[in-house]
Amino acid sequence: MREGADDHALALSGSDAASSGPARHRSMDAALEWSFGLLSPEERRLLEVLSVFVGSADLEALTSLSSATGLRRGGMVQCLSGMLEKSVVVTKMVQGVARYDLLGVVRRHVQAALKREGRFEAIARLQLAWCLDMVAGSEEALVSGPHQRRWLDSLAREQGNLRVALGFALDAGDVEAAGRLAYDLRHFWALRGQLSEGRRW
């Protein structure tokens, strides 16, 4: 991330939408800006990355986007702990694995800032690449074998993120990536009884 990016990241309260919107929206923007002001530059970058994971994300997924945060695993754990203490991030345990998420209003706020600054697509493409890599490794295991259940559960946990990645690829005109991701998910959709969703994509 370029030097000085943190000076304007997440600066929503001064936007046209915030200054002209209803009073309650301006109050919400102000409250969020105050919360974000408590974050370190590293935590802000991690917050931006987490905003593209609509279905929440575990540590492995976030670590895979380290090029956008500049954080290694240890630093990421430290940042997540700090963000949890500041109540900017929420966490839940899913099958014994901690997953990190944002409240909807926080996610919308962060994504709006990224889109205004022209930085949303670069992060979303990293998330799409992560989805493609993850799903590509599942095809053989889903057809048969002792790891079929593990892969089904894993992909089910990430289904929200997979849908977001498919939607982003189509909106961005990346038909090749969207087609590859949908093709690699065909066994998952069939085994989960979601053939109608597969046909729709």
Side-chain angles (χ1 to χ4, degrees), residues 5 17 86 136 157 169 186 192:
K86 299 178 182 85
R157 286 195 301 270
R186 68 193 188 283
R192 294 272 296 183

Side-chain angles (χ1 to χ4, degrees), residues 130-192:
W130 171 76
C131 287
L132 285 166
D133 287 344
M134 177 187 62
V135 173
S138 71
E139 184 172 6
E140 184 176 346
L142 284 176
V143 174
S144 63
H147 303 299
Q148 184 186 66
R149 172 50 57 186
R150 180 174 64 83
W151 272 106
L152 278 173
D153 291 343
S154 178
L155 292 174
R157 286 195 301 270
E158 303 297 346
Q159 194 157 13
N161 288 316
L162 293 168
R163 288 167 176 156
V164 165
L166 280 163
F168 167 75
L170 291 174
D171 290 343
D174 194 343
V175 179
E176 180 181 353
R180 183 152 46 101
L181 186 55
Y183 181 80
D184 288 345
L185 283 169
R186 68 193 188 283
H187 296 306
F188 171 73
W189 283 322
L191 291 168
R192 294 272 296 183

